[in-house]
Amino acid sequence: MTVAAAAVLTLVGAAPATADRPASTGTTHARGDDFLVVGHRGASGYRPEHTLASYELAARMGADYIEPDLVTTKDGVLVARHEPEISETTDVAAHPEFANRKTTKNLDGIQVTGWFTEDFTLAELRTLRAKERIPALRQQNTIYDGRYRVPTFQEVIDLAKRLSRELRREIGVYAETKHPSYFRQQGKALEPKVVETLNRNGLNRRGAEVYVQSFEVSNLQWLDPRLNVPLVQLTSASGRPYDFTLAGDPRTYADLVTADGLRWVSRYADGLGPEKGQVIPRDAAGFLLEPTTLVRDAHRAGLDVHPYTFRVENQFLPADFRSSAVPADYGDLFAEIAAFRATGIDGLFTDNPDVAVAQRDERLAG
């Protein structure tokens, strides 16, 4: 057994795996509807993702939660980035003083070349500025390149608190631990810092507007007895949790979303965050097929279901709702959301929270 695999098994063993968790502790949200709209990386359809500007815009558009992906700096500060490698989301490549930081690392079994947050102190990271991750598709977002710095987890929480007061409704934080095994292998485990930050802010309590999610399992099991907020197991339409790979566990995400797998997940988690194709698959031409039984099975296991990611561009929409053959053109996101809400999902992640909120308002009014 490798050292990494042993570490994973140690982490799994740190939490009980027998007692079922209670039902989700989520609360009712804006306008009397308990359907959650989560601003995916903020309002990333309109601003560069994981910036305070993106998070603030999502809240002002009506999102119930803002979603920071959490990675760490060299000096152990949690910051919001989609990946530890930051060349796609910052201007680091334009900084000659950091040219020698470019390196190649094994990220969950894949060789990745670039600049990594854990090789920068927070002070150094502060000298960088964010940029649009997919400029060919979201050219309008590039006008904001270079305007915003990389925020800390604490700054995201502070922003949510300020906007909650200003908007007179609770703005929640739906945090994801990114590549937890990768960071643990480097001696920079994310989970203790998450617990510490939530404790320091008085947010580690039942009823707090906080979720913590992960694509891995063992870190959620470690967090289970240490956090009093809902935990969410993320799943993908393919592959398996990387900590399962390290531990030699043959199960895949497909195994986790079976009826038996969901009952097992409910022992440590309160919710499920599936890739939306696991709720309604598509055929070879991209058209929606009949819904699976995933939502029903998850609810029977006591799990809320918050699928990802709902985006307005044709590239991301089912063929049913595309407006043209141009990937960047806007299609009918309203119709896609309506189709998925008909399956009984409890919320969703979206780059365009204004559309999801408008669809919710129309549903309430109608």
Side-chain angles (χ1 to χ4, degrees), residues 38-42 50 55 65-69 174-176 213 349:
V38 184
H40 182 244
R41 310 175 196 170
H50 294 309
Y55 297 134
Y65 285 81
I66 52 180
E67 186 221 17
D69 293 340
Y174 205 127
E176 179 184 347
Q213 59 181 337
F349 290 82

Side-chain angles (χ1 to χ4, degrees), residues 320-340:
D320 316 61
F321 309 127
R322 295 171 193 159
S323 62
S324 71
V326 179
D329 282 356
Y330 281 13
D332 194 350
L333 181 57
F334 281 93
E336 186 192 25
I337 292 173
F340 276 81

